[in-house]
Amino acid sequence: YFRNKNLLVFRNAYLNESINFYEHLSKNYYLNKCFSLLNELEHTLFLNDKFQIISGINYNRHIAHSDGYNSKSMLNRLSAFQSFKYSFMGNNSHLNFVVRKEIYEKHFTPFIYSLIGKLSISKNLDFYINTSKVYRIPTLNDLFWVPGGNKDLKPEKGFSHEASINLFLNDTLNKSFIKHTSTYFSRHVTNWIIWLPNESYWQARNLLNVWSRGVETSSLLQTQINNLIVKFNVTTMYVVSTNQKQISEYDNSINKQIIYVPMYSGAGTANLIYKNYFTAYNITYTGYRYTSTDNSEFLDPYWLHNFSFGNTLKFSSKFDISLVFKIHNLFNIDYQVMVNRPMPLRNYQVSVIFNFI
């Protein structure tokens, strides 16, 4: 609803999720259901062309029934937020300050905030900054999963800082463009929630202090030759996540990489689109992942190749159907995401997607 410089938006969603799992060794069936109700009311006041005040409140309710829980589990979250946005330099640059307060299961979280800024140097070059106080409560699985859930978990809290540069080059004559983004991030988090293995099962625990930092890049090249559109996309990630404080005098994880967090990873995708037909070839790389907190054991890196193609059938300007066929793990690579948990070899997926516009 929009009137007299006031914009009022109400969002509501109901999610019903169900997963049925059959465990071959024990020959048992496991049923997992989750119901979520999401509500948000947001008001924006446009004071002028440059300044906006955004206020809102949201309420989320999650109910889970799972053979992994001893009983029905529930999580209620109520939060309110206030945002101030100021735009300048012809609205190409802006500064946005957000403050948020939350209540979950009768617990009050501290005020959290974020300061987000964008500075446009030119039509081809932008800078972004984001500094924020972060706070994350445990999930239902973290709290209630049997075995391993921990009702005594503390919420994560800390600070996050990001800086990125965006480059955009456009060749209108040849219908081509290049986009590149490089982001540096640094996050200091206390009570980091992590699942760690013990003698017989995994358990959710808090690490005292974790410093995660690194660089992410994303590059996109797109060109068009008559009716053929060609896209190349490459992403890379360099992440160092280390425990900064010992839990005990026998803790050997100090300054060591967090388990299952690869230091190097990346992906590349080539897309071809011709009229209503499309195809994609995707390659992903996952580097070494340590499986012990002292970094003495690890899983080997692996490359995965995936291929897909499809066709979009247009029935009208407001309705179409996409038929997609995908081949995952094209070269039958034997790999593990978690130790002793082999992943599927070559497998196939067929999708039918209905689009209503």
Side-chain angles (χ1 to χ4, degrees):
Y1 176 78
F2 182 76
R3 186 176 181 182
N4 296 331
K5 297 184 179 181
N6 289 274
L7 175 64
L8 190 65
V9 178
F10 175 69
R11 303 179 182 93
N12 174 265
Y14 173 73
L15 308 178
N16 184 347
E17 303 169 83
S18 179
I19 298 177
N20 300 321
F21 175 70
Y22 176 69
E23 209 286 311
H24 289 272
L25 295 179
S26 63
K27 297 183 179 180
N28 290 326
Y29 284 97
Y30 298 94
L31 179 61
N32 304 277
K33 290 185 176 181
C34 182
F35 307 91
S36 300
L37 182 63
L38 314 176
N39 300 277
E40 181 171 270
L41 182 64
E42 182 181 287
H43 173 260
T44 302
L45 174 61
F46 298 88
L47 292 179
N48 52 49
D49 294 338
K50 296 183 177 181
F51 193 58
Q52 303 172 23
I53 300 177
I54 305 170
S55 308
I57 185 170
N58 59 45
Y59 170 70
N60 298 335
R61 181 181 179 90
H62 307 277
I63 302 174
H65 304 265
S66 173
D67 294 329
Y69 300 156
N70 284 329
S71 59
K72 180 176 71 174
S73 301
M74 185 184 307
L75 187 63
N76 294 287
R77 302 180 64 172
L78 176 66
S79 61
F81 59 91
Q82 185 77 56
S83 174
F84 305 90
K85 183 177 181 179
Y86 179 73
S87 302
F88 51 96
M89 294 177 64
N91 291 329
N92 291 324
S93 302
H94 65 257
L95 196 63
N96 191 10
F97 179 72
V98 182
V99 63
R100 188 181 188 94
K101 182 73 172 180
E102 186 170 322
I103 305 172
Y104 74 97
E105 300 300 329
K106 301 180 181 179
H107 298 285
F108 286 85
T109 69
F111 279 103
I112 58 176
Y113 62 84
S114 63
L115 179 64
I116 304 167
K118 173 191 173 183
L119 178 62
S120 293
I121 304 300
S122 68
K123 65 178 182 179
N124 304 114
L125 187 63
D126 294 331
F127 286 99
Y128 285 86
I129 60 166
N130 184 354
T131 181
S132 59
K133 183 178 181 180
V134 294
Y135 191 91
R136 188 179 79 88
I137 66 174
T139 65
L140 288 173
N141 279 355
D142 294 333
L143 296 170
F144 303 115
W145 191 263
V146 178
N150 185 353
K151 295 183 180 180
D152 296 323
L153 284 175
K154 299 177 182 179
E156 296 180 351
K157 55 184 178 180
F159 295 91
S160 174
H161 310 286
E162 293 184 6
S164 65
I165 180 172
N166 295 334
L167 178 65
F168 178 76
L169 301 176
N170 187 22
D171 185 351
T172 306
L173 181 63
N174 295 313
K175 298 181 180 180
S176 302
F177 66 84
I178 296 175
K179 289 182 179 180
H180 175 80
T181 301
S182 295
T183 302
Y184 170 79
F185 66 90
S186 177
R187 304 182 183 104
H188 289 268
V189 178
T190 58
N191 301 323
W192 181 292
I193 298 173
I194 186 172
W195 284 74
L196 295 173
N198 59 23
E199 295 181 357
S200 55
Y201 59 88
W202 290 64
Q203 186 177 34
R205 304 179 192 175
N206 287 117
L207 291 183
L208 294 182
N209 193 321
V210 172
W211 180 22
S212 179
R213 63 278 194 196
V215 178
E216 302 175 358
T217 69
S218 175
S219 301
L220 171 64
L221 168 63
Q222 177 174 318
T223 188
Q224 184 170 347
I225 306 171
N226 296 325
N227 292 323
L228 178 66
I229 298 175
V230 182
K231 296 181 182 180
F232 296 98
N233 182 265
V234 177
T235 60
T236 66
M237 291 187 66
Y238 171 71
V239 180
V240 180
S241 293
T242 54
N243 183 23
Q244 299 295 294
K245 193 172 181 179
Q246 287 181 306
I247 299 177
S248 67
E249 61 177 313
Y250 303 104
D251 182 12
N252 294 321
S253 67
I254 189 74
N255 294 324
K256 300 292 175 51
Q257 183 82 346
I258 301 298
I259 65 170
Y260 290 106
V261 178
M263 190 172 293
Y264 299 97
S265 60
T269 304
N271 296 84
L272 297 177
I273 303 171
Y274 181 75
K275 295 183 178 180
N276 295 333
Y277 296 90
F278 51 89
T279 185
Y281 192 90
N282 170 257
I283 303 174
T284 63
Y285 171 77
T286 302
Y288 287 97
R289 289 141 297 135
Y290 295 106
T291 59
S292 60
T293 55
D294 63 357
N295 290 179
S296 61
E297 300 176 7
F298 55 85
L299 287 173
D300 290 329
Y302 60 86
W303 293 84
L304 287 182
H305 297 250
N306 308 292
F307 175 77
S308 64
F309 66 88
N311 182 30
T312 299
L313 306 174
K314 292 186 178 294
F315 294 91
S316 69
S317 60
K318 296 185 177 181
F319 175 66
D320 61 62
I321 298 177
S322 295
L323 308 176
V324 186
F325 176 73
K326 297 182 179 181
I327 305 176
H328 300 282
N329 195 358
L330 185 63
F331 295 114
N332 238 20
I333 301 300
D334 185 4
Y335 71 102
Q336 297 181 24
V337 174
M338 296 177 61
V339 67
N340 297 325
R341 301 287 180 91
M343 297 298 292
L345 298 176
R346 185 184 300 113
N347 58 96
Y348 309 90
Q349 177 183 337
V350 177
S351 302
V352 180
I353 304 171
F354 299 88
N355 298 306
F356 301 92
I357 304 174

